[in-house]
Amino acid sequence: MNHDLVIIGAGPGGYIAAIRAAQLGLNVACIEKERMLGGTCLRVGCIPSKALLESSELYKEAEHTFKDRGINVGSLSLDLEKMLSQKDRTVKTMGGGIDSLFKKNKITRYSGHATITAPGKVSVDNGEEKTELEAKYILIATGSEPSTLPGIELDGDRVGTSTEALSYDQVPKHLVVIGGGVIGLELGAVWSRLGAKVTVLEYLDRILPTTDFEIAKEAQKIFEKQGIEFQLGCRVTGVKANRKTCDVEIADAKSIRCERVLVAVGRRPNTENLGLAEIGIALDKRGFIPVNDHYETAVKGIFAIGDVIGGAMLAHKAEDEGVAFSERLVTGYGHVNYDAIPSVAYTNPEIAAVGKTEEQLKEEGIEYRKGVFPFMANGRARAMGQTEGKVKMLADKQTDRVLGVHILGPRAGDLIAECAVAMEFGASSEDIARCCHAHPTLAEAVKEAALAVDKRALNF
Ligand code: FAD
Ligand code: NAD
């Protein structure tokens, strides 16, 4: 079979690249080894985790905050099976949506494991037969999978990864999470809200290592108040799974007995059996595929994007690379501004950021001014009863150009979009401060933080 472009992997990187390339007139094929299109993000990542975060938050609100607002509900109970099936339905519906998009854009889909046999040649093995494809260009968008630690055997039951933690059939009495990163905090929050005792063990002396330190520290305090336990500076040496419990062994400390263990210590690129070494593509020392500015690998005509090339492991980063790749291939233009990629942890409150942290600015010797505005002084946050957290804006001391924004607070994930747009347009804090923001909205906290850069916040 001949195609202009063959894409391996139908995650947010691969399927979006396929759609954009097809829009631009290429004859595109996409190979996916799983039955459902959408990749990690749709099957076992962004979407199912957000469905559970939303449901568990509603459950917690009904349990704790409805009463304060004069809403009395009868006795509250959890139907976990139904909660999980709502999540599964959401995923299935969205998977069907990508199938329709493939049909609409006339993208040919192949099911099976892809191996590159030579430049321009890909073999697809679906377990029963092999199909040989030929293409002018090949795009690798094979994503990533959970990492584990030496001494820990993932049994897919008591000791598992995020994939299992999206589908526990009962609320564990005690869940130990290894890793205080985004997955640990999001999925830890889900099960804590549903009634589990949750202990997060983090190797470093802080949680969320890439988040602005002041924000991460404040977030940890809030999560502790919500009942999550943290043990920082904690080196896990092994996990012993018993019939009904597990023992998590820690260097220089007592082991912890719990019901389930979630290993959330990062993700590693998916490059197994892709045929890379055989065609001359060497991996970097962390296992990622090296690419140039055009996303081209060491072999001409073979490109790679998304989690498999490293950088921020985020769905929207993979998508934007997919668009940039296809546009550059067809039109000669296309680019991603890596300085303005937002990130969001969907905890409560949410944590969102774009641009540089205060630590990075100090390290790079960049002089900056800082504006902070707390949500407790924002009318909408007060009305919502969600006053924890703040907006922190960092702007260049000389030019006032916004260099970073860090938000801990309600709907931070939505608020950060304004800041990413501002940074894309090279805005100053003064630009944001002078834009009219509707009242009463949470977005006014962003405007006030911008005013605070120049020490002229109005409501604080
Ligand atoms: P993937 O989504 O991993 O897709 C790669 C696809 O390639 C997979 O479907 C795989 O089956 C297929 N594949 C691999 N090898 C082959 C082969 N040889 N042949 C055929 N097919 C192959 N990111 C966010 O931005 N926001 C979030 O809220 C968020 N939440 C997350 C929650 C969890 C629990 C997890 C695990 C991740 C989350 N992420 C989130 C990260 C996000 O899922 C990834 O960054 C994103 O999916 C990467 O996209 P990708 O296209 O590079 O790879
Ligand atoms: P992560 O890199 O965010 O966090 C892993 C944490 O584990 C780090 O804090 C690290 O210090 C810690 N750790 C590493 N080794 C350890 C050890 N031996 N003992 C204890 N702690 C250890 O990785 P993650 O949370 O697994 O998430 C993987 C990827 O998925 C991330 O890159 C993230 O971007 C992406 N993701 C994004 C979202 C989102 O955007 N909302 C949600 C989930 C996942």
Side-chain angles (χ1 to χ4, degrees):
M1 255 357 139
N2 273 316
H3 299 276
D4 294 326
L5 171 64
V6 164
I7 298 175
I8 307 176
Y15 94 77
I16 289 292
I19 292 174
R20 189 67 191 118
Q23 285 174 343
L24 290 165
L26 296 192
N27 170 343
V28 184
C30 186
I31 309 162
E32 172 56 58
K33 65 183 171 58
E34 300 289 337
R35 228 156 41 128
M36 187 185 288
L37 301 175
T40 302
C41 174
L42 178 57
R43 282 184 292 104
V44 288
C46 325
I47 302 301
S49 60
K50 265 78 256 180
L52 288 184
L53 278 156
E54 202 65 41
S55 297
S56 59
E57 186 53 31
L58 287 172
Y59 179 72
K60 201 178 145 203
E61 276 184 24
E63 197 177 16
H64 296 289
T65 52
F66 278 18
K67 251 198 325 258
D68 298 343
R69 291 180 168 265
I71 305 168
N72 297 317
V73 286
S75 71
L76 189 72
S77 65
L78 173 68
D79 185 342
L80 182 60
E81 206 180 323
K82 207 161 180 177
M83 195 178 275
L84 295 177
S85 64
Q86 185 275 344
K87 170 208 62 159
D88 294 337
R89 255 195 333 275
T90 309
V91 169
K92 201 167 159 211
T93 309
M94 292 194 66
I98 305 176
D99 279 327
S100 309
L101 289 170
F102 269 30
K103 284 194 191 102
K104 181 179 155 197
N105 288 285
K106 301 192 173 43
I107 296 161
T108 311
R109 183 199 168 162
Y110 294 93
S111 297
H113 182 100
T115 306
I116 304 173
T117 49
K121 292 192 193 315
V122 182
S123 173
V124 188
D125 184 353
N126 69 5
E128 284 167 13
E129 54 176 8
K130 283 190 179 172
T131 308
E132 308 301 329
L133 306 180
E134 290 196 13
K136 222 152 94 202
Y137 307 108
I138 296 170
L139 175 65
I140 303 167
T142 48
S144 63
E145 60 180 11
S147 305
T148 185
L149 295 171
I152 300 185
E153 198 188 318
L154 300 171
D155 63 11
D157 179 23
R158 304 227 154 264
V159 188
T161 66
S162 51
T163 302
E164 287 76 31
L166 289 166
S167 296
Y168 294 153
D169 58 359
Q170 280 181 355
V171 178
K173 282 194 187 66
H174 186 185
L175 170 67
V176 166
V177 179
I178 306 176
V182 204
I183 291 184
L185 294 181
E186 287 188 353
L187 292 177
V190 165
W191 294 104
S192 162
R193 291 167 192 171
L194 298 179
K197 172 180 171 181
V198 173
T199 307
V200 176
L201 308 179
E202 167 58 51
Y203 180 69
L204 300 174
D205 58 0
R206 55 163 298 177
I207 61 166
L208 296 168
T210 56
T211 301
D212 185 272
F213 182 62
E214 182 185 349
I215 295 283
K217 208 165 133 197
E218 192 169 331
Q220 186 187 332
K221 279 195 192 133
I222 296 172
F223 301 148
E224 276 167 347
K225 264 200 307 188
Q226 292 170 354
I228 297 180
E229 283 179 7
F230 290 90
Q231 289 189 26
L232 304 182
C234 181
R235 191 163 62 83
V236 173
T237 52
V239 175
K240 212 168 84 218
N242 313 312
R243 212 160 57 82
K244 290 197 168 158
T245 57
C246 321
D247 292 314
V248 182
E249 288 149 5
I250 304 166
D252 307 322
K254 238 179 90 188
S255 66
I256 304 176
R257 175 155 291 184
C258 61
E259 209 177 325
R260 283 193 189 271
V261 176
L262 159 56
V263 182
V265 292
R267 294 178 61 81
R268 58 163 187 243
N270 265 332
T271 52
E272 250 173 57
N273 301 326
L274 262 178
L276 297 182
E278 293 80 351
I279 55 165
I281 298 179
L283 304 175
D284 71 14
K285 56 179 187 298
R286 296 182 57 214
F288 293 104
I289 301 179
V291 291
N292 65 16
D293 287 352
H294 304 221
Y295 304 109
E296 196 161 24
T297 65
V299 176
K300 205 167 158 23
I302 303 182
F303 300 79
I305 55 162
D307 279 10
V308 79
I309 64 167
M313 286 182 154
L314 296 172
H316 42 284
K317 177 255 189 193
E319 287 182 15
D320 284 9
E321 287 178 345
V323 170
F325 158 76
S326 293
E327 292 187 345
R328 198 183 262 271
L329 193 65
V330 180
T331 69
Y333 303 99
H335 117 120
V336 176
N337 177 2
Y338 289 96
D339 291 333
I341 294 182
S343 64
V344 183
Y346 297 83
T347 45
N348 186 9
E350 292 179 350
I351 305 165
V354 61
K356 294 195 190 291
T357 62
E358 228 179 317
E359 293 71 58
Q360 283 172 322
L361 292 176
K362 281 183 185 146
E363 237 172 68
E364 292 170 25
I366 300 172
E367 289 192 310
Y368 61 93
R369 291 194 300 167
K370 165 173 162 181
V372 173
F373 189 81
F375 280 100
M376 66 167 186
N378 172 272
R380 186 64 182 277
R382 285 244 162 236
M384 291 165 71
Q386 293 183 37
T387 52
E388 286 171 315
K390 61 181 158 207
V391 179
K392 164 169 163 179
M393 192 172 290
L394 306 168
D396 188 281
K397 193 171 175 193
Q398 264 77 46
T399 65
D400 192 35
R401 187 180 176 135
V402 178
L403 301 173
V405 186
H406 305 275
I407 309 178
L408 169 69
R411 301 279 163 206
D414 296 317
L415 298 177
I416 206 69
E418 171 186 2
C419 309
V421 172
M423 285 186 67
E424 275 286 357
F425 281 83
S428 61
S429 73
E430 181 76 18
D431 290 328
I432 297 177
R434 289 203 175 272
C435 289
C436 186
H437 287 65
H439 177 73
T441 58
L442 297 168
E444 286 174 293
V446 174
K447 173 183 171 156
E448 289 274 8
L451 283 165
V453 169
D454 195 37
K455 299 196 174 20
R456 27 187 256 264
L458 297 164
N459 286 289
F460 185 66

